[in-house]
């Protein structure tokens, strides 16, 4: 084989190898993106936006969160503590009528304490949110919103509608953290199954007793003596 032919073969081989490497790298990047999108949901898109569209930088940050907090072991709330938080959230709701600013500030502090009691870091807000984003990615943005709005309220820069929206968006996050173990959305054989926790047996329908806004009535109780979360007793919608 002539020298020229050998050179052509070498060049073709190098080009094919480079194409193969690029294909493998792209496939790996695609798998990584799919995994992170599945894990973080809306948090993935939010983080990409915060990095001005730099997907690689956003993914590096999310992977770092997974490394730090993916194996974090959280603690369930006792029944008594859960009831206390549910009652306290209802109290913030009542307070909103007279003092929206204090209600939002109190709700922000309540969520920080609730996250701490569930076992999430509590030394720094940023660290706490990063850990929560790994395990509660669907709703953690509501916590950020109420935290930022509470800061604006303390400076007198938040109007009533902004305060109300902050609490509305924080409520799913509160429900997520206060939810009893095994009371996720029932699927398959889980539907109607009873679960055991701290010596108590609760059916799926028993979840209505714990979660804000799960009742069918408005105002106080709907016949059960409980406040329906999502509406104040004076009719102001949350």
């Amino acid at each position: 084989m002539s020298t020229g032919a050998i050179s052509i073969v070498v060049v073709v081989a190098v080009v094919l190898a480079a194409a193969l490497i690029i294909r493998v790298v792209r496939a790996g990047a695609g798998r990584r993106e799919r995994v992170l999108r599945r894990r973080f949901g809306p948090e993935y898109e939010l983080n990409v936006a915060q990095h001005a569209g730099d997907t690689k930088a956003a993914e590096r940050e999310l992977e770092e969160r997974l490394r730090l907090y993916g194996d974090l072991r959280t603690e369930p709330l006792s029944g008594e503590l859960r009831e206390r938080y549910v009652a306290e959230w209802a109290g913030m709701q009542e307070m909103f009528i007279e003092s929206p600013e204090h209600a939002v500030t109190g709700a922000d502090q309540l969520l920080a304490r609730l996250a701490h009691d569930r076992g999430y870091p509590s030394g720094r807000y940023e660290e706490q949110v990063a850990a929560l984003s790994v395990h509660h990615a669907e709703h953690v943005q509501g916590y950020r919103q109420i935290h930022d709005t509470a800061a604006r309220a303390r400076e007198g820069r938040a109007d009533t509608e902004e305060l109300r929206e902050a609490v509305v968006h924080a409520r799913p996050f509160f429900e997520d953290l206060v939810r009893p173990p095994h009371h996720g959305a029932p699927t398959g054989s889980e539907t109607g199954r009873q679960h055991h926790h701290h010596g108590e047996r609760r059916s799926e329908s028993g979840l209505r007793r714990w979660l804000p806004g799960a009742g069918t009535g408005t105002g106080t109780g709907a016949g059960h003596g409980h406040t329906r979360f999502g509406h104040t007793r004076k009719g102001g919608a949350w």
Side-chain angles (χ1 to χ4, degrees), residues 13-191:
V14 169
V15 169
L16 290 175
L20 180 60
I21 291 171
I22 291 172
R23 186 174 180 179
V24 170
V25 169
R26 286 179 176 174
R31 282 194 298 271
R32 179 174 68 172
E33 178 181 341
R34 288 192 296 272
V35 168
L36 291 173
R37 280 184 181 275
R38 270 198 309 271
R39 179 64 185 259
F40 286 96
E43 189 73 5
Y44 180 93
E45 296 294 346
L46 178 66
N47 209 44
V48 170
Q50 289 175 338
H51 282 82
D54 188 341
T55 302
K56 290 183 178 179
E59 289 179 349
R60 283 195 297 270
E61 180 181 326
L62 294 177
E63 287 175 334
E64 179 66 7
R65 292 188 206 174
L66 278 174
R67 185 186 70 81
L68 292 172
Y69 308 113
D71 296 328
L72 180 68
R73 296 181 64 86
T74 59
E75 297 294 332
L77 299 176
S78 67
E80 179 183 356
L81 188 55
R82 183 178 299 112
E83 285 188 336
R84 191 184 310 163
Y85 273 116
V86 169
E88 190 173 347
W89 185 267
M92 297 299 171
Q93 178 174 286
E94 295 290 328
M95 184 192 299
F96 192 87
I97 292 293
E98 303 299 333
S99 180
E101 295 85 357
H102 286 97
V104 167
T105 300
D108 174 43
Q109 294 169 351
L110 181 155
L111 292 174
R113 286 188 284 108
L114 175 56
H116 169 73
D117 286 342
R118 286 296 314 277
Y120 291 96
S122 57
R124 294 188 306 113
Y125 165 76
E126 293 78 9
E127 181 184 8
Q128 188 179 64
V129 170
L132 286 163
S133 74
V134 173
H135 299 275
H136 300 275
E138 289 294 325
H139 303 301
V140 70
Q141 181 59 15
Y143 182 30
R144 292 192 187 99
Q145 183 173 346
I146 201 169
H147 184 79
D148 293 344
T149 303
R152 288 170 54 80
R154 286 191 292 270
E155 298 169 357
R157 298 190 296 116
D159 61 32
T160 302
E161 180 59 19
E162 182 180 355
L163 295 167
R164 187 191 69 82
E165 287 183 358
V167 180
V168 168
H169 293 146
R171 176 181 150 184
F173 176 71
F174 169 77
E175 293 177 351
D176 212 16
L177 283 186
V178 83
R179 187 186 304 273
H182 313 300
H183 278 297
T187 57
S189 61
E190 292 181 353
T191 304

Side-chain angles (χ1 to χ4, degrees), residues 82 180 183 193 201-211 214:
R82 183 178 299 112
H183 278 297
R193 181 187 301 171
R201 295 194 65 82
R202 300 191 184 102
S203 66
E204 289 294 338
S205 62
L207 177 58
R208 299 170 69 82
R209 175 171 177 266
W210 294 112
L211 288 186

